[in-house]
Amino acid sequence: MAGAASPHADLASAMVLQPVAAADWLVVAPVVIPIVFGAALLMFRKETQQHMVVSIIAFALLLLADAALLWRVIEHGPIVMTMGRWLPPFGITFQADVLGAGLATVAGLVAFAAVLFSFRDIDTTGRRYGFYTFFLLMMAGVHGAFLTGDIFNLYVWFEVLLISSFGLLVLGSEHEQIDGAVKYAFLNLVATTLFLIAVGLLYGAFGTLNMADLAGKIAAAKGQAPVMTLATLFLFAFAMKAAAFPVNFWLPASYHTPRIIVSALFAGLLTKVGIYALLRVLVMLFPVERDMLAIVIAWVAAFTMVLGILGALAQSDIRRAVGFVVVSGIGVMLAGLALGSELGLTAAILYALHSMIAMTAVYMLVGLMAEAGGSVSLHSLAGLYRAHPFMAALALVLFFAVAGLPPFSGVWPKVFVVKASLDVGAWWLAFAVLLTGLLTTITLGRVFALAFWRNHAEEPATMVPGDPITWKTYAPVVLLTAAVVFIGFYPQPVLDVAHAAARTILFSSGYVNAVLPAGGGA
Amino acid sequence: MRTIIFRSVAPYLTSLMVLFSLFVLLRGHNEPGGGFIGGLIAASAFAIYGIACGVSPVRRAMYFHPMAIAGFGLFVAAMAGLASLFVGVPFMTGLWVEPEFFGVTLALSTPMVFDIGVYLVVVGSITSIALALEEREDD
């Protein structure tokens, strides 16, 4: 059999021979944990009583693994592990740097809050249909995308999270959900297909898929390969994933249909995976081409944020409005990407971290508002301030944060984006960011004024006799809001992470050296 | 499709195909075959049985729900990768043991365990889809 190591082959030229420290396993743990628990829950799909306990354990472990990974990456630099012992660039590399680990940690936090929230939102039927399995597998996909160092593997993780998200999207099998899911599925499949085509071209041109290896080969190509075409294809594919104008219409068309917790997760995590891929691929692999495309990205960014928020302003369904707010936030991150400076990228990453937390919390809050008021329409939702003052307080904090008003987490990235655009003289980009901030304030202010402050025209005749809203219900929202407040008042730790993350993709030599030490590799 | 010939042949055909799928699965490491294709053969065996004799006998014969089998397969595959944690080598590294039984060397490895996992995932998920489609036709 071939597996036994034959004594006369020189294994050192093909395989990693030094033993792997147990701590290096942290780099695969955030992918393995959700897969193992997801598989276990799939086996015991009918035992819906146990799902809560098992998924709490799973998500707590996931968050722990994420946090430990981030801590280790900050302390000791990037962790690399190449699957199956093959030397990179032949084996599939997993690599955690500050960017991937930072985003993964916040994703873990958001997922943990979401699982606490889901106990209320997901009934037994939802559990039997495999909500927690899909959720766990989606988290495996999200973490895989953040942590992989191989561009084809990135495609695979995109597929994993996409297919699990289909499952989550149609969880109730209602007519409206199927309608939203079809739009979502079709446009996302177009984007992944483009991504796959681009990866195929890339492999044809350079003969490697390892990102560290690619970074060197693309830089050395000098007109030998269609790099500009490749960069544009990647930009288009990932921009579609991230819901950037003009390919963003799948998002508001589908995000208001599923269970509120599913919308919350999608809004918090999925578009950010697109942003992450844009940052990783365009900044690290195609820096020259990104410079040339910068003006295109900047206009896309400006249109995304302004048209996104105008869309939100036009909605009377709060869930749809919040969907458009998500889109407009993507514009701010793209602006940071377009600027491409250290400050711009820091702002983009910081905004991504903030937006993951804040948008998830906003969707959860909208879910609670709908439950308390019996409607998601601004025409009929009213009088929540009197009935639920604590909910109003949370709403105020979150709306301030999303609009980018001080003193909460949204303010810092916006300040940095504006400063970075003024640094390069792109006053119109700065203006677009500020205008978006103003319009977001108006949009969310309107929601607040109508849903919370307005009194009921007539006495609410039939309140929905649901479960009473207790502190347990608020706990996940409070957890995320606390993070928002913390980042707002004490941004330094998160800012350091974002800054270090920006530096890892801007100066990729550290990343490359970690995978291919000193002249090693092909 | 419930002709007498088909119905009498189907159980034998099914058992032969399942047996053959196991052969393809185990052959797969060094020769054409493997978990995926083996799983497809087994799933088509169950589909044939379902077409001939109805879906509920298949469900009874499988005992576990097909999706549970798929979940178990995913679990097994992940565990095959995790085995390398205890040997100090990277995730998913192939590990081999070659015990001797009555003078025959048996090569057992984690890639084989992984392949069994793949086999179960494919059997479970494809059978689940096939049975759902066949059930719809009965209505």
Side-chain angles (χ1 to χ4, degrees):
Chain A
M1 284 284 190
S6 72
H8 19 263
D10 178 17
L11 284 179
S13 60
M15 291 185 125
V16 181
L17 291 184
Q18 63 269 39
V20 174
D24 282 3
W25 277 76
L26 280 174
V27 70
V28 286
V31 179
V32 175
I33 292 170
I35 288 186
V36 168
F37 278 92
L41 282 184
L42 187 58
M43 277 188 273
F44 303 104
R45 206 158 51 102
K46 300 282 163 69
E47 324 271 323
T48 49
Q49 301 304 315
Q50 318 303 328
H51 283 197
M52 281 187 192
V53 184
V54 176
S55 38
I56 281 244
I57 295 171
F59 282 97
L61 276 177
L62 180 62
L63 181 57
L64 269 180
D66 279 333
L69 178 66
L70 179 63
W71 175 80
R72 202 177 146 77
V73 167
I74 290 173
E75 291 287 308
H76 301 278
I79 307 182
V80 180
M81 183 189 266
T82 304
M83 300 304 119
R85 224 176 175 189
W86 302 107
L87 273 180
F90 304 110
I92 290 173
T93 304
F94 257 54
Q95 171 162 31
D97 60 358
V98 185
L99 175 62
L103 285 167
T105 307
V106 176
L109 174 72
V110 165
F112 186 68
V115 81
L116 294 181
F117 191 84
S118 68
F119 298 147
R120 185 180 182 82
D121 201 33
I122 301 297
D123 52 10
T124 317
T125 323
R127 281 178 214 155
R128 205 162 45 234
Y129 272 111
F131 171 79
Y132 289 109
T133 300
F134 283 129
F135 185 9
L136 282 162
L137 292 181
M138 192 181 89
M139 288 317 291
V142 168
H143 280 92
F146 285 151
L147 297 177
T148 186
D150 182 287
I151 201 158
F152 182 75
N153 203 232
L154 180 64
Y155 164 79
V156 173
W157 293 119
F158 263 103
E159 287 284 301
V160 169
L161 73 88
L162 195 61
I163 289 172
S164 329
S165 70
F166 294 161
L168 289 175
L169 206 52
V170 296
L171 208 59
S173 307
E174 287 159 23
H175 181 266
E176 201 190 21
Q177 290 180 330
I178 307 284
D179 180 64
V182 168
K183 289 169 190 160
Y184 174 88
F186 179 74
L187 289 172
N188 269 292
L189 284 177
V190 171
T192 16
T193 310
L194 274 173
F195 178 18
L196 185 60
I197 291 171
V199 169
L201 264 176
L202 192 69
Y203 188 60
F206 296 104
T208 180
L209 293 166
N210 187 294
M211 290 203 234
D213 198 23
L214 276 172
K217 287 198 170 160
I218 292 173
K222 300 249 187 293
Q224 303 285 310
V227 275
M228 193 65 198
T229 313
L230 283 169
T232 316
L233 268 175
F234 278 120
L235 171 64
F236 188 52
F238 293 142
M240 207 157 168
K241 288 264 162 216
F245 177 82
V247 280
N248 58 354
F249 292 103
W250 58 269
L251 192 151
S254 59
Y255 272 26
H256 65 284
T257 55
R259 309 282 174 96
I260 198 75
I261 186 62
V262 176
S263 309
L265 277 173
F266 284 15
L269 302 179
L270 297 194
T271 47
K272 274 59 170 193
V273 181
I275 289 288
Y276 164 79
L278 275 175
L279 288 168
R280 177 70 84 202
V281 170
L282 284 186
V283 181
M284 202 177 88
L285 300 186
F286 297 98
V288 184
E289 292 69 27
R290 192 212 58 81
D291 268 358
M292 287 192 261
L293 285 169
I295 192 71
V296 180
I297 306 175
W299 278 107
V300 165
F303 275 114
T304 308
M305 50 186 142
V306 174
L307 292 179
I309 199 64
L310 284 179
L313 206 50
Q315 299 296 327
S316 61
D317 179 330
I318 304 178
R319 285 208 288 177
R320 276 177 185 267
V322 177
F324 278 103
V325 173
V326 173
V327 172
S328 126
I330 296 298
V332 182
M333 289 176 247
L334 288 178
L337 172 69
L339 293 164
S341 58
E342 206 171 313
L343 188 62
L345 292 173
T346 308
I349 295 162
L350 193 59
Y351 196 93
L353 298 172
H354 142 78
S355 164
M356 281 163 111
I357 302 173
M359 289 320 300
T360 309
V362 166
Y363 263 104
M364 288 177 180
L365 185 83
V366 170
L368 292 182
M369 281 162 66
E371 218 175 301
S375 164
V376 284
S377 167
L378 280 179
H379 298 304
S380 50
L381 198 59
L384 286 178
Y385 183 76
R386 184 177 292 170
H388 302 278
F390 185 59
M391 194 187 288
L394 286 175
L396 200 62
V397 172
L398 290 173
F399 288 176
F400 265 51
V402 171
L405 296 175
F408 304 113
S409 65
V411 65
W412 301 111
K414 283 204 174 170
V415 167
F416 294 142
V417 170
V418 170
K419 178 159 187 328
S421 2
L422 292 179
D423 281 350
V424 294
W427 55 268
W428 50 274
L429 196 57
F431 175 73
V433 174
L434 294 177
L435 179 69
T436 308
L438 176 68
L439 291 173
T440 315
T441 315
I442 296 175
T443 310
L444 295 173
R446 192 179 62 131
V447 171
F448 194 79
L450 291 180
F452 285 97
W453 277 344
R454 180 176 54 169
N455 281 326
H456 276 291
E458 70 272 19
E459 202 52 31
T462 47
M463 288 300 273
V464 189
D467 302 342
I469 295 178
T470 59
W471 66 269
K472 264 190 193 163
T473 323
Y474 281 125
V477 192
V478 170
L479 176 69
L480 294 180
T481 313
V484 163
V485 174
F486 176 78
I487 298 173
F489 281 99
Y490 186 52
Q492 203 57 43
V494 185
L495 184 60
D496 286 343
V497 168
H499 186 223
R503 288 182 66 88
T504 55
I505 48 173
L506 209 50
F507 310 106
S508 56
S509 59
Y511 184 93
V512 174
N513 285 340
V515 181
L516 308 165
Chain B
M1 293 298 273
R2 303 204 169 180
T3 64
I4 181 83
I5 298 174
F6 190 36
R7 252 189 305 158
S8 354
V9 171
Y12 299 104
L13 196 59
T14 303
S15 36
L16 266 180
M17 281 172 80
V18 171
L19 205 62
F20 182 63
S21 78
L22 289 176
F23 165 70
V24 170
L25 160 71
L26 294 177
R27 192 177 77 146
H29 192 77
N30 290 326
E31 283 174 86
F36 190 84
I37 185 71
L40 284 181
I41 294 171
S44 17
F46 293 126
I48 286 177
Y49 194 47
I51 293 170
C53 309
V55 170
S56 31
V58 185
R59 290 203 192 278
R60 263 202 308 280
M62 287 182 85
Y63 189 75
F64 293 107
H65 191 281
M67 285 316 280
I69 294 178
F72 182 65
L74 186 59
F75 190 78
V76 167
M79 284 302 152
L82 280 181
S84 45
L85 172 61
F86 304 102
V87 198
V89 289
F91 189 52
M92 291 265 170
T93 302
L95 302 169
W96 293 76
V97 283
E98 309 204 351
E100 282 205 13
F101 290 108
F102 313 110
V104 183
T105 316
L106 199 59
L108 300 174
S109 65
T110 53
M112 190 185 80
V113 178
F114 184 84
D115 232 12
I116 292 172
V118 173
Y119 174 89
L120 291 174
V121 169
V122 175
V123 170
S125 47
I126 304 287
T127 308
S128 163
I129 295 170
L131 293 184
L133 289 175
E134 285 167 17
E135 250 167 355
R136 200 61 52 84
E137 235 164 53
D138 284 348
D139 291 340

